[in-house]
Amino acid sequence: MSTVIKGGTIVTADLTYTADVKIEGETIVEIGRDLSGDEVLDASGCMVMPGGIDPHVHLEMPFMGTYSTDDFESGTRAAIAGGTTMVVDFCLPNPGQSLLEALQRWDNKAGRAHCDYSYHMGITWWDEQVFNEMKTIVEDKGINTFKHFMAYKGALMVQDDEMYASFQRCAELGAMPLVHAENGDVVADLSAKLLAAGNNGPEAHAYSRPPQVEGEATNRAIMIADMAGVPLYVVHTSCEDSHEAIRRARQQGKRVYGEPLIQHLTLDESEYFDKDWDHAARRVMSPPFRNKQHQDSLWAGLASGSLQVVATDHCAFTTDQKRTGINDFTKIPNGTGGLEDRLPMLWTYGVVTGRLTMNEFVAVTSTNIAKILNIYPKKGAILVGADADIVVWDPTKTKTISAKTQQSAIDYNVFEGKQVQGLPRFTLSRGTVSLRDGELTSKEGHGQFVKREPYQAVGKALSTWKELTAPRKIERSGIPASGV
Ligand SMILES: NC(=O)NCCC(=O)O
Ligand SMILES: [Zn+2]
Ligand SMILES: [Zn+2]
């Protein structure tokens, strides 16, 4: 059975051209003019692009005494509806729990996925068992990224010595560390002071996490990664303070990547000042939304290449779950949704406004992260031999975002009322048409785990340089006799 996507404009991270795309089974087999096949999908007036890859989601995540409400079923259904064909979740062991045991738990949940998926493994505690299991995770389980939380003191947070040890282990294994970069000690202290002063509303969540806590932690993680000789990926980069650290590190030749979220690019801190408690609490996430200057910095980073990826950190809690923190902002579950809206929002606020080109759009929603995750060109590409993960994008199609029509299982949408221009006409997941003329046709359980190989090139370059520049003992002849 073959499918031909006909009459569209192929848009990749570096090329724009007119051609048809032929798919057999799960794979792109031909790109050219006047192709024929068993089924034809009309792409006239549309862009044919690699499906979106969201490298940062938390589906059914155990967090702050509850679980995020979107699971692998509803979350990946939302992904497909918005043109995203792969997500990367975070497997998070409980303190003291084996990484392999945690992985089993995540595998049990992910079997319901509508699109392909992978995991980052969380380093949430540290001892010899974790050190040993990291090797199995990389070499046998196909996971080459390890996440470290520098915030959430008393829960997921790791200390600097643990982070340094884990980063060195990543270097040995050809893996890459990720960081949630906020200074958790400062956040805890600011939170306690705000609460003691009676400042218990959702706006205090933002006050407790100023840009400095993110800038400091980003700098610290970058320096620790440099000393360990590993590349570093900084998740949810929300402000200039963190972006500046990443930009500077890259100018110095360090392999550091930054990931703004669609929420931080398009929503600002005024959301927390809303008189409606629910409105403000629904937008509580870490880091919090920032002001316009920080947003401008993130947009500039995407255009100039100092920031590489736009994600969602989709971690959706219902209003009822948010109300756990009604008298204490530190108990409001942290997280917002966005999986269905990432591509339409970025197209509308990025491409339609001229902040990004179409090719840059593809780069930051798909191709760059495929390269960073070491799955390119299987994913993130319109090339012969690549997986047929494709979005046929209609730039004239519009809608008003509303919780009433969304796939996500929660009862609101942080982008409620936003008019978007640019939506998928078709979404194909490994050759299967999963969204047809805007209607979902995807199947629960279609998604497969994507194995990721260790990093060869960057790992080798960094370890070679590290070895060349390592401190060496100076051999001396004629050492003077001791003066004693
Ligand atoms: N971001 C957020 O507030 N919740 C999800 C967990 C995390 O990424 O920190
Ligand atoms: Zn985080
Ligand atoms: Zn996250």
Side-chain angles (χ1 to χ4, degrees):
M1 158 81 182
S2 62
T3 306
V4 171
I5 302 174
K6 232 179 162 42
T9 302
I10 296 180
V11 179
T12 68
D14 49 8
L15 292 172
T16 305
Y17 60 104
T18 305
D20 303 337
V21 179
K22 183 166 179 171
I23 298 152
E24 263 168 25
E26 303 189 337
T27 312
I28 298 174
V29 292
E30 201 176 347
I31 299 170
R33 298 288 181 119
D34 302 323
L35 303 182
S36 55
D38 302 323
E39 186 187 14
V40 173
L41 302 178
D42 175 21
S44 50
C46 290
M47 287 86 201
V48 179
M49 306 188 288
I53 301 172
D54 191 335
H56 189 161
V57 304
H58 302 276
L59 303 173
E60 207 182 330
M61 177 199 192
F63 191 41
M64 298 182 74
T66 184
Y67 285 84
S68 59
T69 288
D70 276 322
D71 57 14
F72 275 84
E73 195 285 310
S74 61
T76 55
R77 182 159 33 86
I80 291 283
T84 288
T85 52
M86 180 175 168
V87 300
V88 191
D89 202 272
F90 292 79
C91 173
L92 300 175
N94 296 323
Q97 188 185 30
S98 145
L99 308 191
L100 298 167
E101 204 179 291
L103 190 57
Q104 185 60 56
R105 196 152 55 97
W106 252 257
D107 278 340
N108 293 343
K109 299 192 282 186
R112 301 180 63 201
H114 291 246
C115 69
D116 287 358
Y117 58 90
S118 184
Y119 314 121
H120 309 289
M121 175 55 70
I123 297 298
T124 52
W125 61 290
W126 188 255
D127 80 351
E128 206 181 327
Q129 183 186 346
V130 177
F131 177 92
N132 290 331
E133 287 186 349
M134 283 174 77
K135 186 173 164 69
T136 314
I137 293 294
V138 174
E139 293 177 2
D140 301 345
K141 302 295 179 185
I143 296 175
N144 61 15
T145 40
F146 291 90
K147 171 76 175 291
H148 306 74
F149 290 90
M150 300 169 80
Y152 306 130
K153 189 173 179 174
L156 296 165
M157 179 168 144
V158 286
Q159 302 298 328
D160 288 356
D161 58 342
E162 298 170 323
M163 214 163 67
Y164 182 47
S166 171
F167 282 20
Q168 289 178 89
R169 184 62 168 152
C170 286
E172 285 164 9
L173 296 171
M176 180 166 62
L178 276 60
V179 284
H180 169 136
E182 287 184 303
N183 184 318
D185 289 318
V186 174
V187 170
D189 188 65
L190 288 176
S191 300
K193 287 197 172 103
L194 285 157
L195 279 176
N199 222 327
N200 64 353
E203 66 283 6
H205 173 79
Y207 304 153
S208 72
R209 309 179 101 99
Q212 291 92 325
V213 300
E214 195 181 332
E216 185 282 325
T218 304
N219 258 303
R220 182 157 36 102
I222 288 170
M223 296 306 173
I224 291 175
D226 190 39
M227 288 183 278
V230 269
L232 179 73
Y233 184 97
V234 183
V235 305
H236 48 45
T237 305
S238 77
C239 59
E240 164 59 14
D241 306 56
S242 172
H243 176 200
E244 184 268 336
I246 294 167
R247 203 168 54 226
R248 179 158 34 88
R250 290 175 65 85
Q251 277 170 352
Q252 292 167 346
K254 300 183 175 108
R255 266 86 172 188
V256 180
Y257 309 104
E259 171 210 83
L261 306 181
I262 190 63
Q263 296 91 321
H264 289 120
L265 288 162
T266 58
L267 301 172
D268 68 46
E269 63 185 358
S270 64
E271 304 280 352
Y272 299 118
F273 310 143
D274 200 284
K275 295 278 188 215
D276 176 3
W277 190 94
D278 283 337
H279 179 102
R282 286 164 175 163
R283 286 148 181 87
V284 162
M285 68 171 302
S286 298
F289 303 156
R290 307 293 191 189
N291 66 25
K292 301 274 185 219
Q293 283 76 42
H294 292 296
Q295 289 184 323
D296 284 344
S297 163
L298 302 181
W299 282 108
L302 291 174
S304 67
S306 52
L307 300 172
Q308 294 72 37
V309 177
V310 176
T312 61
D313 193 3
H314 186 101
C315 186
F317 296 101
T318 63
T319 304
D320 268 357
Q321 289 176 301
K322 291 280 184 180
R323 285 183 183 167
T324 314
I326 200 95
N327 293 315
D328 176 350
F329 71 88
T330 64
K331 296 196 167 55
I332 302 171
N334 286 202
T336 60
L339 253 171
E340 187 171 347
D341 310 310
R342 178 179 66 129
L343 265 55
M345 283 291 290
L346 191 71
W347 186 274
T348 304
Y349 288 87
V351 179
V352 174
T353 61
R355 286 202 197 242
L356 296 176
T357 67
M358 294 191 295
N359 309 92
E360 286 162 353
F361 174 88
V362 172
V364 301
T365 56
S366 184
T367 306
N368 288 354
I369 191 62
K371 290 180 181 171
I372 291 169
L373 295 173
N374 210 16
I375 50 172
Y376 183 85
K378 176 181 167 65
K379 302 289 189 190
I382 303 285
L383 286 174
V384 170
D387 281 1
D389 280 4
I390 298 174
V391 60
V392 178
W393 191 257
D394 185 344
T396 63
K397 210 169 164 175
T398 60
K399 77 167 183 186
T400 304
I401 294 178
S402 165
K404 291 198 179 75
T405 52
Q406 72 187 6
Q407 299 300 321
S408 166
I410 63 169
D411 56 320
Y412 62 92
N413 186 312
V414 295
F415 303 114
E416 184 77 29
K418 301 268 187 220
Q419 302 271 345
V420 286
Q421 180 189 331
L423 287 161
R425 183 183 290 177
F426 302 103
T427 307
L428 286 84
S429 165
R430 269 183 295 103
T432 298
V433 181
S434 303
L435 184 88
R436 186 184 290 276
D437 287 321
E439 294 297 319
L440 272 168
T441 51
S442 67
K443 291 214 169 41
E444 180 177 332
H446 165 81
Q448 289 181 357
F449 178 73
V450 180
K451 274 194 160 194
R452 298 182 286 123
E453 295 296 316
Y455 298 94
Q456 310 248 299
V458 170
K460 176 138 183 33
L462 285 172
S463 59
T464 304
W465 183 248
K466 199 89 199 144
E467 171 53 26
L468 259 175
T469 56
R472 285 190 169 73
K473 179 177 166 64
I474 306 295
E475 300 298 343
R476 295 185 172 88
S477 55
I479 297 172
S482 157
V484 186

